[in-house]
Amino acid sequence: MITIDDITAAAERIAGYVLRTPTVASPGLAAHLGVPVTLKLELLQRSGSFKPRGAFHKLLGLTPAERAAGVVAVSGGNHGLALADAAGSLDIAATVVMPEAAPQRSIAACRASGATVRLTPDMGGAFALLDELVASGLTLVHPFDDPIVLAAQGTVGLEFAADAPDVTDVLVSIGGGALIAGVAAAMRALVPGVRVWGVETEGADAMTRALAAGDPTGFTPTSIVTTLSAPYVSQLTLDHVRALVEDVIVVSDADAVAGTLALAEEAKVWAEPAAGCLLPAAQRVLDRVGPDVRLGLVVCGGNVTATDLTGWVQRFGAAPLPRRPVPA
């Protein structure tokens, strides 16, 4: 388990390489949900998500031999973007393995940053190719099974706790689990009594499956939300979620898209469905804990195009999530 000292040390190492993203109150979402809402805007981080925190922390700690070998990562989009950006900044050769379903914008951006992109038919194949490339000598930068990466993702929670110490409930999206593990470790250490909730989409619910099985279990993701579509979580992230997270809520792809529209209309935030899923989950959290709460939402990324979102809206017939009814 990582500690708040690990997270603080990570913050010191990556300072100057990543942004300290804004934490803002959202009057629009407060009206929408009926309780105060504060947003941690990680979509404003360089490369459009929280991922550069972990990428820079890992790369800055490599030995000269590991840097010279070049680095490799597997990604549904955002981790690859972050690694390509960080490696390019530090003059390290990078290879990113991505499924063909990854957003075309993300694939193009990785290549534009100077990374070599290898595409596979699906995420399971991407992880298999990753293993081959690591065996050939490339240095692994794992998106979630690495305490160095996890500690750096926890700097999101470090900043959030400093900026919004009065939140009672914080919602965080889960892919492989590094973000929620790090945020939970930081928030639980710094904000007494805070509850941290995880959110997944159907077909990208690796953490929920692992919790039910008692250990990490592999599966084939089917969700449209490729940035959450890890085919498994790690024992490291599972252990943190078991110890520090209140519960993991699973929402449909359609509701995640509807939440994305609600973020745009109510909070004026252009986010991806990996963040949009927080809105329907927040409504369910409020059903469980009641109205006397102050919500915090980690808006993890914004790497989505208008074409992507239009296609999903047409596919699901989605409209923005309706406002939460005011209790009588």
Side-chain angles (χ1 to χ4, degrees):
M1 300 285 288
I2 64 164
T3 67
I4 191 63
D5 290 339
D6 298 321
I7 297 169
T8 301
E12 292 173 354
R13 172 177 274 176
I14 65 178
Y17 293 94
V18 300
L19 302 177
R20 192 187 194 288
T21 55
T23 302
V24 299
S26 175
L29 287 180
H32 188 82
L33 293 170
V35 298
V37 179
T38 303
L39 305 179
K40 177 61 171 164
L41 296 177
E42 276 300 293
L43 80 173
L44 298 182
Q45 186 59 259
R46 59 186 296 171
S47 82
S49 83
F50 69 95
K51 292 285 192 176
R53 296 173 183 266
F56 271 107
H57 194 216
K58 183 67 174 181
L59 296 186
L60 289 167
L62 295 181
T63 66
E66 289 171 330
R67 291 171 63 106
V71 296
V72 63
V74 65
S75 175
N78 287 340
H79 181 59
L81 281 171
L83 182 68
D85 175 40
S89 298
L90 298 174
D91 198 26
I92 300 172
T95 298
V96 179
V97 183
M98 307 175 85
E100 293 171 355
Q104 290 301 309
R105 177 184 179 278
S106 298
I107 295 170
C110 286
R111 288 174 170 151
S113 294
T116 298
V117 177
R118 299 281 300 273
L119 298 177
T120 62
D122 54 35
M123 187 61 83
F127 274 85
L129 178 56
L130 174 74
D131 292 340
E132 294 178 17
L133 294 173
V134 171
S136 74
L138 297 184
T139 301
L140 174 64
V141 181
H142 200 283
F144 53 86
D145 193 17
D146 188 331
I148 295 172
V149 171
L150 196 155
Q153 314 306 32
T155 62
V156 174
L158 191 71
E159 295 172 11
F160 206 177
D163 292 344
D166 62 340
V167 294
T168 63
D169 294 83
V170 175
L171 278 72
V172 186
S173 307
I174 300 177
L179 178 62
I180 192 168
V183 168
M187 297 294 293
R188 292 286 299 272
L190 298 172
V191 182
V194 71
R195 293 176 294 243
V196 180
W197 305 79
V199 185
E200 297 181 307
T201 53
E202 294 171 1
D205 52 350
M207 187 63 73
T208 297
R209 292 169 183 258
L211 290 168
D215 55 55
T217 180
F219 79 112
T220 301
T222 57
S223 172
I224 64 161
V225 189
T226 59
T227 50
L228 297 185
S229 292
Y232 60 86
V233 298
S234 68
Q235 190 66 51
L236 177 68
T237 56
L238 175 60
D239 288 345
H240 281 77
V241 168
R242 276 180 176 151
L244 301 173
V245 173
E246 193 77 12
D247 198 3
V248 178
I249 296 167
V250 181
V251 306
S252 68
D253 280 353
D255 279 350
V257 172
T260 301
L261 294 176
L263 277 173
E265 293 196 0
E266 303 288 355
K268 316 309 177 189
V269 170
W270 181 261
E272 58 192 66
C277 65
L278 300 177
L279 267 293
Q283 294 179 331
R284 287 161 61 178
V285 167
L286 291 173
D287 289 339
R288 291 173 60 171
V289 302
D292 189 22
V293 301
R294 294 177 296 278
L295 290 179
L297 307 182
V298 177
V299 185
C300 57
N303 289 316
V304 63
T305 67
T307 300
D308 293 332
L309 189 55
T310 299
W312 292 326
V313 168
Q314 292 173 344
R315 174 177 172 179
F316 296 113
L321 286 175
R323 291 196 170 195
R324 182 176 173 79
V326 177

